[in-house]
Amino acid sequence: MATEGLGSMIGPVIVLMGAAVVAVPVFRRLGLGSVLGYFAAGALVGPSVFGFFTDPDTILHFAELGVVMFLFIIGLELRPQKLWAMRGQIFGLGLAQVSLVIVLLTLAGMFIFGFAMVTAFIAAAGFVLSSTAVIMSILQDRGEIARPEGQKSVAILLCEDLSIVPLLAIVAFLSPLGQEAGGLAAAGLALAGLVAILVVGYWLLDPFFALLARARTREVLSAGALLVVLGASLLMETVGLSMAMGAFLAGVMLSGSSYRHQIESDIEPFKGLLMGLFFLAVGMSLDLGVVAAEWPLLIAMLLVYVLVKALAIYVTARAFGSPNLVALRRMTLFAQGGEFAFVLFTAALAGGVIDARETALFSTVVILSMAVTPVILVVADMLLREPAAAMHGVDAADGLRGQVLVIGFGRFGQIALQMLLARGVQVSVIENDPDRIREAGRFGFKVYFGDGTRLDILRASGAGEAQAIMICVDDRKAVSTIAAMALHEFPNAKVLARSYDRGHSIELIRAGIDFEMRETVESALMMGAAGLRSLGHDEETVADILAEIRRRDAERLTEQVQGDIMSGRDRILTAPVPEPLVPGR
């Protein structure tokens, strides 16, 4: 019986994974993105086509854990100080966009489609909640999350995610089945839940992970991270808020922890797998019977809602000072509905605010909008290209033959290059910023235009004949990409790279790189040494301490490469030690 039950579980999993591994690569090959591939795979195996699954809502409910994990990782990247610094964008730009979209979509629902005002408001409130999963996936793929425009997008998404709380409260107030007193009690319970999350996160999480780290077992730390994510999510759901908000708050609370990198690497595999399952479940939820019966209304609603929302986003972006091209790109990114709309529509249906037909219509429009978003973005990328940078006075890399190939001529690369030039080394330098190349020419440097993340450019830049390749770009992802290609394609060259932080150094060392250097470590050591000199310490003592700190750091890094991010903690000087760091003279 147990074997039979296990087989009944494995069968559906095989169907889901099989549909995904076939559809996703095909759609990515066509340039439509993995999200649309998941949607298509889910629709095929769902009840509307082949019927392998008859209850997609159950899978969707489980698959929401993917969104939960995703928001937890986003929270890890946003320290409270950074959130506070973003308050103007969240409650300024974000709130303005949300408010304008709701007003215009409500009016469109009333005057174009003849919905009652409450029904039109519910449809608008659901559609205003753009897909956090879709948008964050796209921003992450493009490497735009850390850029100013990416941060504005994150702020808008945070505002939309936060707005689900008052919107659910409004649905409860509008419900003929609800009670005002119950609404006040629910608000008090939600507030108590938020306070509990903040208190636990501020005072208890770091000691909790310190206790787990003493076990020196990575699985225990992973289990602790999952416990925190799921516990915070369950608490928020229990008090009437969203699971995603609980996970996000837990991530923010842990963002300043020394265990952040380890936790992020442990959660990442779960997040990716569950996010794919979420998109599959959304595709299964698409009721093709409703589409067939009311397709003219659905197409009209899809067009009107997407266009009206896009107009509101564009107007808001321009009002807050964004250039025309930036406003258009943001408009295409946010014009769809999102996963939280299903939560709102379900609550409205349960409260008797809208009926089953309206719920099916609104949900289908949201799903269709999420499905067409990758297509819209492909078209937008073709039509809304950045103006090509002027290339006058810039030579493309071709046929270079230096002993050393330097990739990147920013502030780091310029200083590193001086050491080579001082000994007359033949150097080839490539850079992908034409303005920087022209500026270098004013000072007598010959720098060629080339993107180091492309293998053909590396070959044209002489990487195949170079004795050493120095990667000096300031993009962590680009450094990792170039290093991987150089190690694989040019094994005779020494590969030296600028790393972003300790975690990046560990990644590069494990990849087999010959030398890495964190971009701030030596300047920080020099600052500390200057601090000792300012206190009157003699030069010999300063030199000894510098050597000791470098030794400790190197030993700790070696232990971390062999273990995990928590290895070698005893090498860090965090408090006065019983004996002096350097013996007295």
Side-chain angles (χ1 to χ4, degrees), residues 349-404:
L349 176 63
V353 182
I354 58 177
D355 58 32
R357 172 183 172 272
E358 291 164 343
T359 302
L361 281 175
F362 300 158
S363 297
T364 302
V365 170
V366 170
I367 292 172
L368 291 174
S369 72
M370 293 172 71
V372 301
T373 296
V375 180
I376 293 174
L377 291 173
V378 168
V379 175
D381 286 341
M382 291 189 294
L383 298 179
L384 303 177
R385 294 184 183 276
E386 296 281 353
M391 298 296 289
H392 61 273
V394 176
D395 296 328
D398 186 20
L400 306 185
R401 293 291 184 271
Q403 292 174 268
V404 178

Side-chain angles (χ1 to χ4, degrees), residues 5-286:
L6 182 62
S8 65
M9 293 174 60
I10 292 177
V13 172
I14 291 176
V15 171
L16 278 177
M17 295 300 102
V21 299
V22 171
V24 172
V26 170
F27 276 76
R28 286 184 66 88
R29 184 75 174 176
L30 295 174
L32 300 177
S34 58
V35 173
L36 190 54
Y38 281 120
F39 281 141
L44 286 175
V45 301
S48 296
V49 183
F50 293 120
F52 290 113
F53 297 90
T54 57
D55 187 16
D57 290 340
T58 301
I59 296 176
L60 181 61
H61 186 69
F62 173 74
E64 285 175 1
L65 288 173
V67 180
V68 167
M69 298 294 184
F70 197 86
L71 283 177
F72 174 71
I73 290 179
I74 296 303
L76 283 175
E77 301 296 331
L78 294 174
R79 299 179 180 239
Q81 300 90 334
K82 190 173 184 179
L83 278 178
W84 178 248
M86 292 173 64
R87 66 190 183 278
Q89 293 181 354
I90 295 174
F91 299 107
L93 172 62
L95 187 58
Q97 178 172 307
V98 168
S99 302
L100 183 59
V101 170
I102 289 180
V103 169
L104 293 184
L105 287 180
T106 300
L107 293 175
M110 291 171 60
F111 294 106
I112 297 179
F113 300 107
F115 296 136
M117 186 175 72
V118 171
T119 303
F121 170 78
I122 296 298
F127 205 80
V128 75
L129 303 171
S130 305
S131 175
T132 301
V134 172
I135 293 175
M136 292 305 299
S137 296
I138 292 168
L139 290 176
Q140 193 171 51
D141 289 343
R142 292 176 173 178
E144 295 179 356
I145 290 181
R147 297 176 184 174
E149 180 57 28
Q151 289 296 291
K152 289 181 181 179
S153 298
V154 171
I156 294 170
L157 287 173
L158 288 176
C159 182
E160 291 181 353
D161 291 345
L162 292 172
S163 67
I164 190 67
V165 181
L167 289 175
L168 287 172
I170 292 172
V171 167
F173 177 78
L174 294 174
S175 171
L177 309 176
Q179 299 291 330
E180 287 80 358
L184 290 174
L189 186 63
L191 183 60
L194 285 172
V195 171
I197 286 281
L198 296 175
V199 168
V200 171
Y202 190 79
W203 277 290
L204 300 180
L205 283 186
D206 226 36
F208 171 68
F209 280 103
L211 181 64
L212 295 182
R214 292 194 188 102
R216 295 188 177 274
T217 304
R218 183 167 183 172
E219 293 79 8
V220 173
L221 206 61
S222 301
L226 286 172
L227 176 63
V228 169
V229 178
L230 299 179
S233 302
L234 181 61
L235 175 61
M236 288 292 98
E237 187 179 46
T238 302
V239 301
L241 301 178
S242 70
M243 294 177 67
M245 179 179 291
F248 175 75
L249 287 175
V252 171
M253 291 297 99
L254 281 169
S255 62
S257 169
S258 56
Y259 308 95
R260 178 171 68 91
H261 293 296
Q262 181 66 44
I263 294 169
E264 186 174 359
S265 64
D266 289 342
I267 292 293
E268 184 72 29
F270 297 99
K271 183 267 294 182
L273 182 62
L274 289 170
M275 281 294 291
L277 183 59
F278 171 78
F279 290 129
L280 282 168
V282 171
M284 285 185 231
S285 301
L286 183 60

